[in-house]
Amino acid sequence: MTYRKLATALTAASLAAAASPLAAQSPASADETVTLEKIEVTDVPIEQQILPTSRPFNSVYGTERGILDTPRNVTIISREQMNAIGILETRDFSKLTASSYTQTNFGLPSNPAIRGQTADVLVNGMRRGLTINGNGLPLNFNSVESVNIVKGAANVIYGASSYAGGYADFITKKPYFDKFSGSVSATVGSWDVYRWTADLGGPISPALAYRLSYSGEDSTGYYYDGKKKTQAVYGALEWRPSERYKIEVNSEFFVADVTENWGINRVTQQLIDDGLYIPDAGSDAAYAAAIQNIGGGFNPVRPYGTPVKLDRRRRLLAPGDDSYGINYTAQVIQTVTMSPDAKIVNNTFFNYVDRDTFSSYYYNSVHKDNWGLENRLQFDGKFDLGSVKNAFSVGVTLRHQEVWAVDDFWHEPVNSFDLTRNSDLNRVPATAFQYSAAFPFNNFNPGILIPGYGPRGALPGRYASSGATYGFDPVTGNFYGYDDLSSNDSTADQFSPFYQHDVTFNEKLSLLIGGRVDFLHVKNTDPLPPPGFTAVSDEETVQMPSFNVSPVYKITENITAYYTFGYTTTNAPGLGGGYVFTGTTFGGDGRSFTEAFFDQKNFLHEAGVKASLFGGKLFVGTAVYDQQKRWVTDDSKERYTKARGFEFEVNYQPNKNFYGTASYSYYDAKQRYTGFLADSATYDQRLGGTAIPATPDFPSISVEFQQPGMPEHLFNFLLGYKFDMGLSVTLGTVVTGPMVTSQEGLGTAGGSSVLFTANEIPWQHTVDLSFGYKWQQWEARLAIRNLTDQENWSAPNPGYGNGSINAELPINGELTLTYRF
């Protein structure tokens, strides 16, 4: 890790934050929130309220608005709900909101999925970035007070990214101004799960307060050879020297050492339905010998034996595989209130990531000293023109990002390994990265050793792929023809002016409009050119416009209808993070950027009705949407993802004792775009002789197909009851409809026509039950998850849907003891 570079970046972030006002308005702290908007449920403490009408928020349009006046479908997850379900990862969002089902992403989902697309993560309105296709460091919730989940691409103030499905805005913990208080807790769970936290804060003076929070984990977990070791430290300061000026500072350091969870390979319908796994035929000695001769791609399928019952705790990995990383963030939010109708907000956010993942089967990813710095300056004003009320936000965002990432997913013969054998044999040998007569394909896209990294597992070093296409090397006989490019050493500079205007014509009708242009300059140099070749480099400057229009009509004072149209232009995401060259699959040359890379058009049509009923004790929200992403690649082929759906959410809290939430979503999506796809056919069909008997075969499919890895139906509910004597009970359920795990349709593989096939995960449900008891300053909570002990499955990254599936946890429990002071 280059600590000098990190120190320089941190200094720059601090100077930028101190020198300028920040762009996304800070969320109100607990004591402020009560005074900002009337609380309908008067006997419920603010920290226990789950109704989205109980407080204003700014996660959708950058200015504080009530939920009824917000023309988007948004779910507010309160601290009460987070504690009730014990949110540990983005996949848990399915327990509380509609249209959010996140694939396992090898056990490390760093981003949620919303409406079938990878979604962004924001921190107090600022994008974290520096992620790769939703896979990376696990998210840490130590710093999080609540989460606002927004469906659809971000508005013009926040700016859209390549992850246009939606976003989760993490609202961080705020300092305590009223008094010194805090808590410590410890959790013990099934299969050696151990977690602990400490949180405290209070006033330093009437104008200055602080908050400190620490969390740690040292767990083995359910799966064999697993580990999750994390440490996180978070701090926040807030200073209010006058009624007109406020500055909020927060920072977090997070380190994690975990194992990936690829899941189970050789996926068949029989495995999903009956738990039966297809092993190799022959002896252990014959299998061990065969493994030493596997190549990268296009490995022939070996003879198989009688299907056997597989231990669900098994997964594809070898002892010693792990993923290690460090994440540091810092944020400064300044607010200058010049009058009741005018203020300036300046938001600066710095993010640093250094991580690497090594899996012997073989996936390698190294991200070294990556960082990003973003500053948004925003002026909010109000004025009247006769009876027409106007509110506007105008500003500019500046962003700089540097990414160094090398990856290798070309040499992943995942279906070559037999999980019934010794897991220490789940290792791709060094010969797989070199040309051999046995595997002539090994000279196509051979691996390159990363300088500075020593032996790992069975290999002399860490192999990765170049970030560009170089063609045939007559000296070695190798062909460096990488197509699914990932490795990059890229920088990006962005200048983004925006304007948003809210017109209230009368008590019934208002109109919200906004526009933005992202002026983006990117440069990329291949970080790992083949020996003897000069690294390819290219740069590009583009303009990416976006706008949104939303009429809002108040049917009554407490019932609102809205329609939103949004258009955003985004770039295609690089699998390694950053900006990569355009591969030959999409008409590029693998050596440069193309304009099509930055011209993905996203359209959102959304209409909904929201209602606050029974004196504000019941909130109901519904929405229908048509959300599309379309682009034309350099080979003149139109690619798209088009999703349509319906969402229904309800929150009910009549008193301090009871609350209930429920949501349902219907989702239907079609695609004409595969991205990366490892295998064209399920393993049982390969063995039956109906598909190319080689794995992986890196196929291509161009017909329209149903989007894999997303249930058509998703339903959840959460009920909570607190007795006055201190006992509490919560019951939650998630139901998912059937989903295919991979693409289906006619395509090509190895130059031949192939009928793509997939498996299907059937209807599934999970029931969670928890009990809590408060006595004076103590609280104990017992959580029982998967109460009915369902043998559920979860969908992987769709690119590996025919090579991976994850076995969900059986019934398990956790006991947490908390002391508050």
Side-chain angles (χ1 to χ4, degrees):
M1 188 186 311
T2 308
Y3 290 98
R4 181 175 299 175
K5 182 187 238 184
L6 175 57
T8 302
L10 293 177
T11 302
S14 301
L15 290 174
S20 58
L22 276 187
Q25 229 170 321
S26 69
S29 56
D31 59 324
E32 294 177 297
T33 303
V34 179
T35 63
L36 282 171
E37 183 170 295
K38 180 181 177 182
I39 303 303
E40 300 290 350
V41 188
T42 55
D43 65 338
V44 182
I46 185 67
E47 69 275 4
Q48 296 180 21
Q49 292 187 16
I50 60 93
L51 289 166
T53 51
S54 65
R55 58 179 66 82
F57 62 99
N58 57 17
S59 289
V60 181
Y61 289 103
T63 56
E64 289 181 348
R65 310 172 71 93
I67 189 73
L68 290 175
D69 299 321
T70 301
R72 291 286 291 275
N73 190 5
V74 55
T75 300
I76 301 175
I77 301 179
S78 67
R79 168 48 58 183
E80 176 73 14
Q81 293 166 303
M82 292 178 66
N83 290 339
I85 66 173
I87 286 185
L88 298 175
E89 59 176 344
T90 58
R91 298 184 67 230
D92 291 330
F93 292 163
S94 295
K95 299 178 180 180
L96 284 170
T97 187
S99 295
S100 180
Y101 177 87
T102 303
Q103 289 93 19
T104 57
N105 270 318
F106 319 117
L108 300 175
S110 61
N111 287 57
I114 299 174
R115 291 179 177 172
Q117 298 183 47
T118 302
D120 258 319
V121 173
L122 277 61
V123 179
N124 298 324
M126 300 294 279
R127 183 169 287 105
R128 286 181 56 149
L130 302 177
T131 184
I132 66 162
N133 68 333
N135 172 234
L137 278 175
L139 282 180
N140 174 54
F141 288 85
N142 172 60
S143 64
V144 180
E145 187 66 35
S146 61
V147 181
N148 298 331
I149 299 177
V150 181
K151 287 85 170 178
N155 69 89
V156 299
I157 292 181
Y158 295 155
S161 76
S162 55
Y163 301 138
Y167 59 90
D169 189 8
F170 287 6
I171 308 304
T172 57
K173 296 176 178 177
K174 301 299 177 184
Y176 299 127
F177 272 93
D178 53 350
K179 64 178 181 178
F180 173 79
S181 59
S183 65
V184 292
S185 71
T187 298
V188 178
S190 305
W191 311 295
D192 296 321
V193 169
Y194 304 101
R195 293 191 298 271
W196 53 92
T197 67
D199 187 282
L200 58 90
I204 299 173
S205 72
L208 180 65
Y210 74 96
R211 184 82 172 264
L212 294 173
S213 187
Y214 163 76
S215 68
E217 180 170 357
D218 189 355
S219 300
T220 300
Y222 171 71
Y223 306 98
Y224 295 129
D225 295 317
K227 64 177 176 179
K228 185 178 183 182
K229 301 176 183 291
T230 67
Q231 305 281 340
V233 179
Y234 169 80
L237 283 171
E238 184 171 336
W239 185 41
R240 307 172 185 171
S242 71
E243 294 182 356
R244 296 197 169 196
Y245 179 75
K246 176 177 68 174
I247 182 170
E248 302 165 86
V249 180
N250 70 76
S251 183
E252 183 178 39
F253 178 82
F254 175 58
V255 59
D257 185 8
V258 299
T259 50
E260 272 198 323
N261 185 6
W262 166 274
I264 297 172
N265 64 351
R266 302 187 178 184
V267 186
T268 66
Q269 197 61 48
Q270 191 177 33
L271 174 68
I272 296 173
D273 295 341
D274 304 317
L276 296 178
Y277 178 83
I278 300 178
D280 271 35
S283 65
D284 288 345
Y287 171 77
I291 286 297
Q292 296 306 310
N293 292 316
I294 65 172
F298 307 105
N299 283 266
V301 174
R302 294 188 297 271
Y304 65 99
T306 302
V308 297
K309 197 76 172 178
L310 184 69
D311 186 344
R312 290 169 62 91
R313 300 181 68 179
R314 286 188 172 272
R315 54 181 171 170
L316 182 57
L317 86 167
D321 292 356
D322 69 358
S323 181
Y324 178 84
I326 294 172
N327 184 204
Y328 173 78
T329 64
Q331 187 172 33
V332 182
I333 305 174
Q334 300 175 84
T335 305
V336 179
T337 303
M338 295 171 286
S339 73
D341 294 333
K343 68 178 176 179
I344 297 174
V345 185
N346 187 254
N347 199 332
T348 299
F349 185 75
F350 173 79
N351 189 26
Y352 170 86
V353 175
D354 186 281
R355 68 175 182 85
D356 70 78
T357 298
F358 178 83
S359 296
S360 298
Y361 60 79
Y362 174 81
Y363 174 68
N364 175 51
S365 177
V366 177
H367 292 224
K368 189 165 56 179
D369 289 332
N370 296 344
W371 64 277
L373 177 64
E374 183 172 354
N375 177 271
R376 183 169 66 242
L377 176 62
Q378 176 180 339
F379 175 75
D380 298 334
K382 298 178 181 179
F383 64 92
D384 294 342
L385 290 176
S387 62
V388 177
K389 299 182 181 299
N390 295 268
F392 67 91
S393 297
V394 60
V396 64
T397 295
L398 303 174
R399 182 177 71 94
H400 178 79
Q401 172 182 295
E402 296 190 8
V403 170
W404 191 98
V406 294
D407 304 86
D408 191 317
F409 50 88
W410 180 263
H411 302 88
E412 282 184 310
V414 293
N415 282 330
S416 295
F417 299 103
D418 181 353
L419 297 193
T420 66
R421 315 283 178 154
N422 183 356
S423 63
D424 199 49
L425 297 175
N426 296 334
R427 305 181 188 274
V428 171
T431 53
F433 303 91
Q434 306 157 9
Y435 174 78
S436 69
F439 293 97
F441 283 110
N442 285 5
N443 72 327
F444 186 73
N445 294 345
I448 301 171
L449 286 171
I450 308 172
Y453 287 81
R456 186 70 189 267
L459 302 177
R462 304 279 290 273
Y463 289 96
S465 302
S466 288
T469 296
Y470 293 89
F472 180 71
D473 180 4
V475 176
T476 62
N478 291 322
F479 183 82
Y480 298 97
Y482 298 100
D483 187 29
D484 293 292
L485 303 174
S486 176
S487 300
N488 71 99
D489 181 3
S490 65
T491 61
D493 291 286
Q494 187 172 321
F495 171 77
S496 306
F498 59 83
Y499 181 80
Q500 180 174 276
H501 200 105
D502 195 351
V503 185
T504 302
F505 298 101
N506 51 50
E507 293 181 355
K508 294 285 188 179
L509 181 64
S510 64
L511 179 68
L512 179 68
I513 59 175
R516 174 187 177 112
V517 179
D518 292 307
F519 297 92
L520 177 64
H521 177 80
V522 297
K523 181 179 180 180
N524 180 32
T525 301
D526 183 5
L528 201 64
F533 287 84
T534 301
V536 170
S537 183
D538 190 34
E539 54 188 303
E540 185 82 25
T541 300
V542 296
Q543 300 83 42
M544 298 187 295
S546 60
F547 64 90
N548 52 258
V549 180
S550 301
V552 180
Y553 183 77
K554 279 186 171 293
I555 301 172
T556 69
E557 183 181 355
N558 297 313
I559 302 176
T560 303
Y562 71 89
Y563 165 74
T564 289
F565 173 76
Y567 170 82
T568 59
T569 310
T570 59
N571 63 277
L575 292 180
Y579 296 85
V580 301
F581 298 135
T582 309
T584 56
T585 294
F586 307 117
D589 58 8
R591 301 172 61 85
S592 63
F593 297 115
T594 63
E595 291 187 4
F597 183 93
F598 303 94
D599 194 28
Q600 294 196 353
K601 297 177 173 62
N602 299 268
F603 304 89
L604 171 66
H605 297 270
E606 179 178 313
V609 176
K610 302 177 182 182
S612 179
L613 307 173
F614 301 113
K617 297 178 180 181
L618 174 69
F619 175 80
V620 179
T622 63
V624 292
Y625 66 87
D626 183 316
Q627 190 166 308
Q628 300 188 27
K629 174 184 286 188
R630 292 181 176 273
W631 69 105
V632 178
T633 51
D634 289 275
D635 54 5
S636 299
K637 293 181 179 179
E638 184 186 29
R639 320 270 176 164
Y640 57 78
T641 298
K642 50 185 182 182
R644 297 177 176 88
F646 167 76
E647 296 161 345
F648 172 82
E649 298 186 349
V650 59
N651 297 262
Y652 180 56
Q653 191 171 30
N655 51 51
K656 65 181 180 180
N657 298 101
F658 175 76
Y659 69 83
T661 69
S663 70
Y664 166 78
S665 56
Y666 169 77
Y667 176 82
D668 179 45
K670 301 293 191 298
Q671 288 182 277
R672 188 189 289 270
Y673 165 65
T674 56
F676 174 81
L677 184 59
D679 288 281
S680 60
T682 60
Y683 197 75
D684 45 356
Q685 287 171 316
R686 290 183 179 281
L687 297 170
T690 61
I692 297 174
T695 178
D697 56 12
F698 304 109
S700 176
I701 181 172
S702 58
V703 298
E704 182 180 275
F705 55 87
Q706 184 74 28
Q707 181 178 341
M710 180 70 184
E712 188 176 43
H713 304 277
L714 172 64
F715 170 76
N716 63 60
F717 72 79
L718 178 67
L719 305 176
Y721 192 87
K722 295 182 179 181
F723 297 88
D724 293 336
M725 44 83 69
L727 179 67
S728 62
V729 182
T730 61
L731 175 68
T733 294
V734 178
V735 179
T736 55
M739 67 188 100
V740 293
T741 59
S742 189
Q743 289 86 348
E744 294 180 303
L746 186 65
T748 60
S752 302
S753 294
V754 173
L755 182 63
F756 285 41
T757 57
N759 296 293
E760 182 178 275
I761 298 175
W763 283 92
Q764 298 184 147
H765 71 275
T766 305
V767 178
D768 296 339
L769 178 67
S770 69
F771 301 92
Y773 183 73
K774 285 186 177 181
W775 181 72
Q776 296 182 357
Q777 294 169 282
W778 292 91
E779 180 180 2
R781 178 173 291 274
L782 174 64
I784 305 172
R785 301 191 176 96
N786 193 6
L787 180 67
T788 56
D789 199 23
Q790 300 297 300
E791 291 190 344
N792 290 333
W793 300 94
S794 56
N797 181 309
Y800 294 90
N802 283 328
S804 171
I805 196 168
N806 288 76
E808 294 278 23
L809 299 182
I811 184 172
N812 64 95
E814 289 185 353
L815 177 63
T816 300
L817 186 64
T818 303
Y819 176 75
R820 304 186 189 280
F821 52 87

